[in-house]
């Protein structure tokens, strides 16, 4: 077992930050949080552990074995250290890891044609996929992303490689082969809807064979967006989603069926092209719901231009929003500040996404900061109607909010008894100095936390745990 004594910080509810000082945290050997006991002084820890049949590792190991008690290793946190939940990245493109920062300022469809599709086409080579994806997963874990919802390339073999690496390296992940059977280069699109669906079924089977219990991996149906999918393909993916909800043949099933992700109301150029291809639908909500792709497991990336009627309908359907403030303001064509306050006011689940490489940064800390900027811009645009976000709110979106969007809110997102121990050990005063604002002797814990959120980086993230497993040290 693992035990920690010190400060824990999490956000169980939107806008709420809970700072638990002098808290003893126990993590069982199955990776679940067994106890969260606040207001225990350091000198009282040993007696409390003994009351639970636990013995500190060291001289007591022999007695523990003899008496049948469990031994436990404890980590005492310093004043500048604290535990927070792992970050949940609700939207990113694993094949774009090596092209982050390229093509900034291009309109979305131009960016896809000139930068993205040529880069993603290279993933037909499984060796190339393994090299880039290994760096990608390592990079996200380095920055404290314990859960990620990944778009793969259109290639099934490369998508299998991505799933394998997430599982091997210990990252919790939703992984999906990108479905696209039109409006892409001949070198980078599925031959037809039948091939795309067949490859999708094979990838689903692979993910479920790699992690039969679904402890870390889930498959996520991934139509890139309506522009690159024929009606036949969209209908076939909707059929898979419907069957997954009805089936009880696998432990990967969620009560609401398989996860789905796509881009939604991202940019004016994209929306205009969608209307030309699907003139029979009033808007994108009507389009995707017609094909059975809007469910409580659906993750809609961007949502920059959603109308009031679309937002009301999304609330009824239970879909989640992946807010990607960095890419919204650098790729797509315009300064796109999504109306996140309007989604939150309707009770629609919202999480943050890095969207790297559309977003130049793969840091969830950067995504939180940019979410503040975007919300302030939206407040001005709305003449004060849509209030800007706060630091507690963006922290919630990066943790519990993102977990809710990914259908994992009952498993991760906060540090609570019964949840998986997906957590970051943050040190505001690390041995290797970074750029974070210095911590002063009279700083409160709330001040130290605010300094980390606004100025810290991966150098302040000393350790990363996923399901109790140490994946960065």
């Amino acid at each position: 077992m693992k035990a920690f004594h010190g400060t824990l910080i999490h956000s169980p509810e939107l806008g709420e930050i809970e700072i638990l000082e002098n808290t003893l945290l126990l993590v069982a050997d199955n990776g679940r949080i067994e106890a969260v006991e606040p207001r225990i002084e350091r000198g009282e820890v040993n007696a409390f552990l003994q009351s639970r049949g636990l013995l500190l590792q060291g001289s007591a190991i022999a007695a523990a074995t003899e008496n049948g008690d469990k031994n436990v290793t404890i980590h005492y946190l310093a004043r500048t250290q604290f535990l927070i939940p792992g970050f949940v990245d609700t939207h990113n493109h694993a094949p774009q890891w090596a092209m982050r920062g390229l093509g900034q300022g291009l309109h979305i469809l131009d960016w896809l044609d000139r930068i993205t599709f040529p880069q993603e086409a290279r993933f037909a080579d499984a060796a190339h996929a393994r090299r880039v994806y290994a760096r990608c997963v390592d990079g996200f874990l380095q920055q404290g992303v314990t859960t990620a919802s990944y778009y793969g390339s259109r290639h099934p073999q490369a998508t299998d490689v991505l799933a394998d690496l997430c599982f091997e390296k210990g990252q919790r992940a939703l992984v999906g082969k990108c479905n696209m059977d039109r409006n892409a280069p001949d070198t980078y699109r599925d031959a037809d809807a039948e091939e795309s669906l067949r490859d999708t079924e094979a990838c689903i089977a692979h993910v479920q064979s790699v992690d039969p219990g679904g402890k870390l991996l889930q498959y996520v149906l991934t139509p890139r967006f309506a522009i690159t999918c024929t009606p036949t393909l969209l209908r076939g993916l909707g059929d898979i989603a419907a069957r997954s909800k009805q089936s009880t043949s696998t432990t990967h099933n969620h009560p609401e069926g398989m996860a789905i992700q796509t881009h939604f109301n991202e940019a004016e150029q994209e929306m205009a092209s969608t209307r030309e291809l699907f003139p029979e639908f009033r808007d994108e909500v009507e389009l995707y719901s017609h094909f059975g792709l809007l469910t409580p497991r659906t993750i809609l990336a961007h949502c920059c231009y959603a109308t009031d009627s679309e937002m009301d309908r999304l609330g009824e359907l239970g879909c989640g929003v992946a807010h990607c403030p960095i890419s919204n303001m650098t790729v797509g064509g315009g300064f796109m500040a999504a109306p996140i306050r309007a989604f939150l006011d309707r009770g629609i689940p919202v999480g943050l996404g890095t969207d790297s490489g559309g977003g130049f940064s793969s840091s969830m800390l950067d995504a939180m900061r940019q979410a503040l900027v975007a919300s302030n811009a939206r407040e001005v645009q709305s003449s004060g109607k849509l209030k800007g976000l706060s630091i507690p709110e963006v922290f919630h979106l990066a943790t519990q909010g993102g977990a809710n969007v990914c259908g994992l809110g009952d498993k991760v997102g906060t540090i609570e008894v019964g949840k998986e121990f997906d957590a970051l050990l943050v040190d505001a005063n690390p041995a290797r100095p970074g750029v974070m604002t210095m911590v002063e002797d009279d700083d409160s814990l709330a001040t130290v936390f605010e300094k980390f959120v606004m100025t810290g980086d991966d150098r302040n993230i000393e350790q990363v745990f996923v399901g109790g497993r140490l994946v960065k040290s």
Side-chain angles (χ1 to χ4, degrees), residues 282-299:
R282 180 181 55 204
D283 53 35
E284 292 189 21
V285 170
E286 189 174 278
L287 189 164
Y288 287 110
S289 62
H290 173 80
F291 293 108
L293 294 170
L294 296 185
T295 78
R297 301 279 349 254
T298 300
I299 304 169

Side-chain angles (χ1 to χ4, degrees), residues 14-50:
L14 181 68
E16 171 188 324
I17 293 288
E18 191 171 44
I19 300 177
L20 303 174
E21 299 182 58
N22 289 323
T23 297
L24 180 63
L25 172 74
L26 300 181
V27 181
D29 53 11
N30 65 2
R32 291 190 179 276
I33 298 171
E34 188 169 290
V36 178
E37 298 289 341
R39 297 180 297 279
I40 294 180
E41 298 296 330
R42 182 171 295 196
E44 302 169 337
V45 168
N46 201 16
F48 179 86
L49 292 175
Q50 290 178 354

Side-chain angles (χ1 to χ4, degrees), residues 174-187:
L174 285 69
V175 177
K177 168 203 140 39
C178 201
N179 297 102
M180 40 194 299
D181 65 341
R182 67 168 170 178
N183 291 327
D186 290 342
T187 55

Side-chain angles (χ1 to χ4, degrees), residues 228-244:
T228 57
C229 297
T230 61
T232 301
L233 179 52
L234 292 174
R235 186 174 299 108
L237 293 170
D239 289 344
I240 293 174
R243 291 198 302 272
S244 74

Side-chain angles (χ1 to χ4, degrees), residues 421-432:
F421 185 60
D422 288 16
L424 316 180
L425 196 164
V426 175
D427 193 340
N429 189 25
R432 181 168 64 106

